[in-house]
Amino acid sequence: MKNYILLFIIIPFTTFSQSKSELQNAITKLHQANFLMEFEDIAQLTYPKVYEADGKSAFLEKLDTDFQNDDYRMRLQLEKVPFLFSEFKTIGAQTFCVVRSRNPKRYTFEKKLTATKAEEKKTWLQEKEKTQNITFEPNRNSFNVRSESIYVAVFDAETMGEWKFFNLDDAFQSNAFNTLFDNNIKITLGLNN
């Protein structure tokens, strides 16, 4: 009888460990893909319904524009970052985990910014990145942005047995998350603010 009890204790722990290990590997790959601007890999790790309506090619184009356009170039500054994982929350047939990391970024503007324009861009970045911790570096014509990134990892039938992500830093993905999941899920995950 003792052997059966031990087996029931080990199996759920092993499954949880593998799931957490798989989640850690997936979020590391997602960060690496963002650092290297590997947009195909980002799309592969993004929750599929995020780009279902407009198509994957439109999503890839949006990512490219988010990182580099006629106005600015955005780059992640750290190749590796530590991640903080919430508890796994199973709601119905879906499992969720909120993943947070400190993720400094640099926005370099193509045209030289005047003091007035720099202040306008700083205000825009404070709203976009949801942080006050932004420093303008006039010699580089860029802003150093220090903020916390928030991802929601989802494991369900839609993801075919893999962890897929919503990047809540991105307004488009954040809106998709809010559309796809009800307020009870957001409250359960601590994302209702």
Side-chain angles (χ1 to χ4, degrees), residues 9-180:
I9 292 171
I10 291 174
I11 289 173
F13 180 74
T14 304
T15 303
F16 173 76
S17 295
Q18 287 175 341
S19 243
K20 183 155 187 189
S21 173
E22 290 168 2
L23 175 58
Q24 288 172 327
N25 288 338
I27 192 67
T28 300
K29 285 179 187 173
L30 180 61
H31 177 76
Q32 190 70 19
N34 276 282
F35 182 78
L36 297 173
M37 298 181 358
E38 294 175 346
F39 304 134
E40 273 290 338
D41 293 346
I42 295 170
Q44 289 295 104
L45 291 160
T46 299
Y47 193 75
K49 287 199 177 270
V50 167
Y51 52 82
E52 187 177 75
D54 295 333
K56 188 176 174 183
S57 60
F59 182 69
L60 293 171
E61 189 175 312
K62 180 205 167 307
L63 288 172
D64 187 44
T65 302
D66 288 347
F67 276 82
Q68 51 200 10
N69 53 59
D70 292 340
D71 195 24
Y72 66 83
R73 288 171 279 130
M74 187 276 292
R75 301 292 184 265
L76 301 186
Q77 294 188 63
L78 299 176
E79 187 172 359
K80 294 180 182 178
V81 295
F83 296 103
L84 298 172
F85 300 88
S86 72
E87 292 179 20
F88 286 15
K89 304 277 185 186
T90 300
I91 304 165
Q94 298 173 305
T95 301
F96 298 88
C97 183
V98 176
V99 184
R100 298 174 187 270
S101 70
R102 299 240 179 252
N103 199 10
K105 301 172 189 168
R106 178 172 306 284
Y107 283 81
T108 304
F109 285 82
E110 300 300 336
K111 294 179 184 167
K112 186 71 177 158
L113 298 176
T114 64
T116 305
K117 277 286 186 195
E119 199 55 43
E120 288 173 13
K121 296 297 183 186
K122 182 176 182 179
T123 302
W124 171 73
L125 285 169
Q126 287 171 333
E127 291 173 22
K128 179 181 180 349
E129 295 289 338
K130 301 175 188 96
T131 184
Q132 297 298 310
N133 202 347
I134 297 176
T135 306
F136 180 56
E137 299 173 343
N139 292 341
R140 292 182 167 187
N141 200 43
S142 68
F143 289 89
N144 184 17
V145 179
R146 286 168 293 213
S147 63
E148 178 182 67
S149 290
I150 302 172
Y151 303 91
V152 177
V154 183
F155 186 94
D156 64 9
E158 194 69 40
T159 68
M160 295 186 224
E162 296 180 354
W163 287 103
K164 301 292 181 175
F165 300 90
F166 288 88
N167 178 352
L168 298 187
D169 293 350
D170 179 81
F172 179 77
Q173 291 187 47
S174 184
N175 288 338
F177 178 79
N178 290 331
T179 301
L180 292 167

